[in-house]
Amino acid sequence: MRLDKLLAHSGFGSRKQVKELIRKGLVLVNGEVIKNDDYHVDEESDEIFIDGFQVDYQEFFYIMLNKPTGVVSASFDKYDSTVVDLVSEYDFVKLFPVGRLDKDSEGLTLLTNDGKLCHNLISPKKKVEKEYYVKVKNKLSDEDIVKFKNGITLDDGYTCQSSILKILDDYIASVIIYEGKFHQVKRMFEALGNEVLNLKRVRIKNLWLDETLPLGGYRELSDEEIAKLKEEK
Ligand code: URA
């Protein structure tokens, strides 16, 4: 990889800024000052220092965000602030959210630059579990559980895969779905004549929302969490 690209990807500034640092002789590769920015380094084995700091190259980033309402699940939006704006300290990498969470929904949002993991988590073929806590307008019933299990037909005629409804309280439930249609959970309840008042995602596959994160709070995943998310079923 080019030295300037690696440094920019590691958060030492824009491509232009790191080129300047390189030209000034502030960058050492294996103990040698390197002044040409198109110099190629081996990110696995070369020892790189910039202005006395050792560069710890990391290719992929995995951030768990407790999304608040009012923020859109996108990398960019003309009008609203996005989940990527909330983690702006990582703006040296191109993070994107894994799957959608509506503007008025909150909870677990995973942000990464690892396209392969993202694909494996959102592809309908992989049938990855997504779990939500919902508060609804009308009282829940055991019949609803059966309807979720049998597959609810949405307003556009699409019949959802079998899903799991667990009633936690008269108006509060956990819903586990295996696909990610537009506004799916809200539309499933609408099809039953009910209405979702609050929706919070708490789990994607085996990754639970860290409830110690305040709304808008975020942290990097641990190595163990990343390894578990990458496990084949
Ligand atoms: N289903 C919805 O209706 N909204 C979400 O944000 C996520 C799932």
Side-chain angles (χ1 to χ4, degrees):
M1 177 185 297
R2 274 178 67 122
L3 181 57
D4 56 353
K5 186 173 177 200
L6 180 142
L7 294 174
H9 183 91
S10 303
F12 288 96
S14 64
R15 205 70 175 253
K16 195 172 161 209
Q17 287 165 331
V18 300
K19 277 181 182 182
E20 198 50 38
L21 298 171
I22 294 169
R23 282 189 205 122
K24 280 185 181 159
L26 292 170
V27 179
L28 273 80
V29 179
N30 300 326
E32 200 186 318
V33 174
I34 302 296
K35 286 195 171 180
N36 49 321
D37 44 49
D38 62 354
Y39 186 86
H40 275 69
V41 286
D42 180 338
E43 58 273 17
E44 301 293 331
S45 59
D46 285 342
E47 217 178 43
I48 304 162
F49 281 82
I50 181 162
D51 206 12
F53 292 97
Q54 181 153 20
V55 179
D56 183 13
Y57 177 72
Q58 188 179 333
E59 184 176 12
F60 295 124
F61 289 79
Y62 306 90
I63 319 286
M64 175 194 296
L65 165 75
N66 188 2
K67 177 192 167 311
T69 58
V71 172
V72 295
S73 285
S75 304
F76 171 79
D77 192 86
K78 252 187 180 170
Y79 307 104
D80 293 304
S81 68
T82 70
V83 288
V84 169
D85 294 332
L86 291 182
V87 298
S88 60
E89 70 170 290
Y90 292 94
D91 64 5
F92 53 90
V93 266
K94 287 198 169 50
L95 293 176
F96 43 84
V98 175
R100 280 189 293 247
L101 201 50
D102 297 336
K103 187 175 166 186
D104 63 356
S105 301
E106 60 182 47
L108 176 61
T109 298
L110 180 62
L111 293 145
T112 187
N113 58 338
D114 181 343
K116 184 173 173 214
L117 178 69
C118 180
H119 170 77
N120 285 339
L121 292 176
I122 64 175
S123 165
K125 283 193 200 130
K126 304 278 178 180
K127 295 189 191 293
V128 169
E129 290 191 353
K130 270 91 52 179
E131 183 162 356
Y132 302 85
Y133 288 163
V134 292
K135 185 175 176 195
V136 292
K137 193 169 177 186
N138 304 320
K139 200 166 168 177
L140 295 155
S141 71
D142 289 348
E143 280 168 32
D144 295 333
I145 298 176
V146 177
K147 287 178 182 158
F148 270 73
K149 187 166 185 294
N150 289 342
I152 293 172
T153 302
L154 302 178
D155 47 3
D156 60 1
Y158 175 78
T159 300
C160 299
Q161 290 172 23
S162 172
S163 53
I164 300 171
L165 176 73
K166 287 185 223 162
I167 299 177
L168 306 175
D169 192 341
D170 284 350
Y171 300 90
I172 296 178
S174 142
V175 179
I176 300 172
I177 58 172
Y178 302 85
E179 50 196 338
K181 300 281 169 213
F182 188 58
H183 296 325
Q184 183 168 338
V185 176
K186 290 176 188 160
R187 288 164 66 211
M188 287 166 99
F189 280 99
E190 267 165 35
L192 304 187
N194 209 332
E195 190 187 331
V196 171
L197 302 177
N198 292 105
L199 188 146
K200 173 179 172 178
R201 183 160 59 200
V202 291
R203 180 166 65 88
I204 299 173
K205 195 173 171 178
N206 44 31
L207 181 71
W208 284 89
L209 173 66
D210 177 346
E211 297 279 357
T212 66
L213 288 174
L215 282 170
Y218 59 89
R219 66 163 172 82
E220 286 193 34
L221 298 192
S222 67
D223 290 345
E224 196 190 340
E225 286 171 325
I226 298 166
K228 277 173 71 187
L229 263 184
K230 288 184 178 175
E231 274 170 9
E232 290 289 327
K233 275 258 159 148

